[in-house]
Amino acid sequence: MRAVIQRVNRAAVSVDGQVVGAIDRPGLLALVGVTHDDGAAQVALIARKIADLRLLEGELSVTDAAAPVLVVSQFTLYADTRKGRRPSWNQAAGADVAEPLVQAVVEDLRSRGLEVATGQFGAHMVIDMQADGPVTIELEA
């Protein structure tokens, strides 16, 4: 499992021109990708890192600051660009594996008392966000 997390002042994700998830105050945008052999251990590690990394102002975590998180599934985090000009997506898990695991990350974060908004799995999404810093961190579990 991979995640790219960005510190944001605000972020929203839209599908077909309609906002499906948004955070309107400082927090994190978490793009989450899943590979074939991911499971509960990877979910727990990624969720813990998203919740506890001290990335917000004053070296606070989203847990410390009670800040929101916008989680968006992102299979392209598993792009293989080593050959040619067209990325391979072979390392990205299919929807039957990935969707429940991304949802498990969301549920883990919510179980920690965090406000979590989401994108729409499998949809063409447009993300509008205002990066803060910018602070962008890659995570691997």
Side-chain angles (χ1 to χ4, degrees):
M1 186 170 279
R2 290 181 179 156
V4 172
I5 53 178
Q6 295 180 290
R7 187 172 74 188
V8 297
N9 290 322
R10 59 166 179 75
V13 60
S14 300
V15 175
D16 296 328
Q18 299 296 314
V19 173
V20 296
I23 59 174
D24 59 1
R25 57 192 168 90
L28 295 177
L29 168 62
L31 307 173
V32 178
V34 177
T35 194
H36 304 284
D37 57 355
D38 285 339
Q42 290 76 25
V43 167
L45 178 59
I46 289 289
R48 182 178 57 80
K49 289 289 191 176
I50 292 169
D52 292 342
L53 280 176
R54 298 181 173 278
L55 299 176
L56 301 182
E57 280 299 315
E59 294 189 14
L60 297 176
S61 68
V62 290
T63 301
D64 297 332
V69 180
L70 174 58
V71 175
V72 177
S73 62
Q74 188 75 40
F75 78 92
T76 62
L77 293 180
Y78 279 98
D80 182 351
T81 59
R82 292 176 291 178
K83 291 191 211 174
R85 298 183 309 153
R86 181 176 295 155
S88 166
W89 311 114
N90 291 339
Q91 294 303 311
D96 58 326
V97 172
E99 186 172 12
L101 292 178
V102 172
Q103 186 58 38
V105 171
V106 169
E107 293 307 320
D108 187 306
L109 294 170
R110 287 180 176 153
S111 75
R112 298 167 184 269
L114 294 172
E115 173 190 337
V116 182
T118 65
Q120 183 177 326
F121 191 92
H124 178 90
M125 295 176 275
V126 175
I127 298 173
D128 177 30
M129 62 97 173
Q130 183 180 61
D132 179 24
V135 174
T136 304
I137 305 291
E138 295 178 59
L139 302 175
E140 183 105 22

